Amino acid sequence: MRSIATENLPDALGHFGPYGGRFVPETLMHPLKELEEEYFRSQHDPDFQHELQYYLREFCGRPMPLYFAERLTRELGGAKIYLKREDLLHTGAHKINNALGQILLAQGMGKKRIIAETGAGQHGVATATVAARFGCECVIYMGAVDMERQALNVARMKFLGAEVVTVTAGQATLKEAISEAMRDWVTNVRTTHYILGSALGSHPYPMMVRDFQRVIGEETRQQILEREQRLPDLLVACVGGGSNAIGLFHPFLNDESVRMIGVEAGGEGIRSGKHAARFQGGRLGVLQGTKTFLLANEDGQIELTHSVSAGLDYAAVGPEHSYLREIGRIEYDFATDEEALAGFKLLSETEGIIPALETAHAIAHIAKVAPKMAADKIIVMNCSGRGDKDVATAAKHLLPRTR
């Protein structure tokens, strides 16, 4: 493993080694630079930081508990398992950590129209929530396929006053929703801020989203030291674009004793071609503003993806994840749809916690590795979201049909 100085990532141009950067139309260069300047200003503004901490605490409910999953630990045998309970956060997932930070930046830039993309709907709900709180117009772009399988979150966004725009192009999932949001932004840059939901896209988004999500790992570090008087042996999180994972992992990057594993969506299996595991046969390329690992054919055409979880159904991964994999600091595995559904069932029945199907991919990995670890070892998993939105999808697979 190469040594890593996290404070130097990314560089001034937004690069994590060969990954990242800005690959956008000239129209978007100015708003990206404006956003970068506002973000750096906010980092040294005590009033901004005070306001962010106030809303994280009073509006969102932080800090989130680090919960010892006693029955899951006993069921699997082996290592002790702790869950970082981001599913208890207001709106039901980690996404609001970043949405809140970005709405405060938008306020500072005087932009009152907010747009966003969403796949599983959790980022859309988080964005609609903060837009309502701060009195902003809100437009959410969502693929038609995702709208059907995430109908609950579509209704939540509408109740919060957002306009939800159906995207029917291409595969009609997250990639197409991002493309439509970017088209909107190009047209309305003077009045509009784009709250991108994951640690991808053009600089400064991967850095900025990571930093707003770092609260997950910072709290976890303090909590596990209080509970166990030492750091965990293993951190596990699901990886779509990668915001929940980088939020958990980043504060531990310089702790060489802490192993980290990101779990991608294996869909129907890697050989099937129906998956979203970018590190399993993906290649270096540029997609939606950043250079990173993605699923594309030899001609550079983006391949179709599939996952039972809408939030992991995306052809690219955040550039910092690509870099951390390259230097060997983080390992990446995958879980299939079948394994994720088994993980969904396992956590529900052992701990009384119904997880998001995204989170269930991380559970599936823990079910494989925890029994092989000694009882004095410690695993922390990011329970990134709750499963209310996924009960209809899971029921189709897991519950017997009645006549």
Side-chain angles (χ1 to χ4, degrees):
M1 181 182 76
R2 235 183 289 172
S3 62
I4 176 170
T6 59
E7 64 272 14
N8 296 327
L9 293 174
D11 65 17
L13 297 177
H15 294 112
F16 302 88
Y19 308 101
R22 281 187 183 131
F23 296 85
V24 293
E26 187 63 30
T27 314
L28 291 181
M29 290 301 289
H30 174 72
L32 284 169
K33 290 178 181 177
E34 179 189 25
L35 177 60
E36 181 183 13
E37 290 171 3
E38 181 67 20
Y39 173 69
F40 283 133
R41 185 198 66 77
S42 75
Q43 297 310 290
H44 303 286
D45 180 353
D47 290 337
F48 179 95
Q49 295 300 322
H50 176 79
E51 190 173 17
L52 176 61
Q53 294 305 315
Y54 171 81
Y55 284 110
L56 284 172
R57 182 180 68 251
E58 303 295 335
F59 185 63
C60 299
R62 302 208 74 92
M64 292 298 104
L66 184 66
Y67 169 71
F68 173 47
E70 183 179 2
R71 289 200 68 235
L72 180 63
T73 297
R74 193 162 62 243
E75 176 73 17
L76 294 177
K80 293 179 70 173
I81 301 167
Y82 283 88
L83 307 178
K84 181 57 173 171
R85 297 294 307 277
E86 295 298 298
D87 58 309
L88 295 178
L89 196 59
H90 181 41
T91 71
H94 69 290
K95 292 293 188 181
I96 201 167
N97 298 322
N98 166 60
L100 178 61
Q102 288 201 47
I103 196 78
L104 294 178
L105 293 177
Q107 297 288 297
M109 294 183 290
K111 296 188 175 182
K112 299 292 287 181
R113 182 175 180 269
I114 301 299
I115 62 173
E117 86 299 329
T118 197
Q122 288 301 122
H123 175 59
V125 170
T127 300
T129 297
V130 297
R133 170 60 188 81
F134 289 92
C136 297
E137 179 186 353
C138 185
V139 179
I140 308 293
Y141 290 90
M142 191 171 190
V145 170
D146 291 338
M147 288 182 72
E148 182 177 354
R149 57 181 169 175
Q150 302 291 328
L152 173 63
N153 277 344
V154 174
R156 294 171 75 194
M157 287 182 269
K158 291 180 178 179
F159 285 137
L160 290 160
E163 177 187 356
V164 184
V165 177
T166 306
V167 179
T168 58
Q171 202 174 345
T173 55
L174 183 57
K175 176 172 68 70
E176 290 77 23
I178 294 175
S179 294
E180 288 302 314
M182 291 181 72
R183 289 189 186 97
D184 183 317
W185 199 24
V186 168
T187 306
N188 301 289
V189 289
R190 292 185 179 180
T191 61
T192 299
H193 174 61
Y194 178 13
I195 299 185
L196 183 61
S198 199
L200 39 76
S202 294
H203 180 63
Y205 280 106
M207 170 188 68
M208 188 170 66
V209 174
R210 174 199 72 195
D211 290 348
F212 284 136
Q213 294 292 1
R214 275 176 52 95
V215 64
I216 302 170
E218 289 167 353
E219 285 182 5
T220 298
R221 186 185 187 89
Q222 179 180 346
Q223 290 165 328
I224 197 67
L225 287 172
E226 289 173 355
R227 294 287 294 276
E228 296 284 350
Q229 290 75 54
R230 71 179 186 87
L231 296 177
D233 300 284
L234 176 64
L235 301 176
V236 181
C238 64
V239 177
S243 62
N244 94 88
I246 203 67
L248 175 64
F249 295 161
H250 198 264
F252 293 89
L253 287 178
N254 288 319
D255 299 298
E256 294 187 8
S257 66
V258 181
R259 187 180 171 205
M260 306 178 197
I261 298 179
V263 187
E264 297 185 286
E268 296 178 10
I270 303 305
R271 292 184 180 180
S272 73
K274 295 182 177 180
H275 66 87
R278 289 64 47 100
F279 293 132
Q280 306 293 325
R283 63 184 67 225
L284 183 63
V286 174
L287 180 63
Q288 294 173 328
T290 194
K291 181 184 289 186
T292 189
F293 251 76
L294 49 83
L295 293 172
N297 63 25
E298 294 180 356
D299 297 324
Q301 297 300 308
I302 303 302
E303 294 180 343
L304 298 179
T305 58
H306 164 78
S307 173
V308 71
S309 60
L312 303 186
D313 196 353
Y314 183 63
V317 66
E320 189 165 10
H321 284 287
S322 292
Y323 175 71
L324 292 168
R325 173 182 178 267
E326 180 177 298
I327 66 171
R329 182 61 188 98
I330 300 177
E331 304 164 50
Y332 294 85
D333 203 343
F334 66 91
T336 64
D337 288 351
E338 184 178 359
E339 290 168 334
L341 287 162
F344 180 96
K345 187 172 185 288
L346 176 64
L347 191 66
S348 299
E349 294 181 352
T350 58
E351 293 294 344
I353 299 170
I354 300 176
L357 282 171
E358 290 77 19
T359 304
H361 286 70
I363 300 163
H365 186 80
I366 285 177
K368 296 176 187 176
V369 301
K372 301 175 184 177
M373 297 171 66
D376 63 347
K377 299 298 183 181
I378 299 169
I379 299 173
V380 173
M381 187 199 84
N382 195 13
C383 196
S384 55
R386 64 174 178 248
D388 307 36
K389 66 186 181 62
D390 292 318
V391 292
T393 298
K396 292 177 183 178
H397 296 275
L398 297 174
L399 298 182
R401 294 182 180 179
T402 56
R403 294 183 179 179

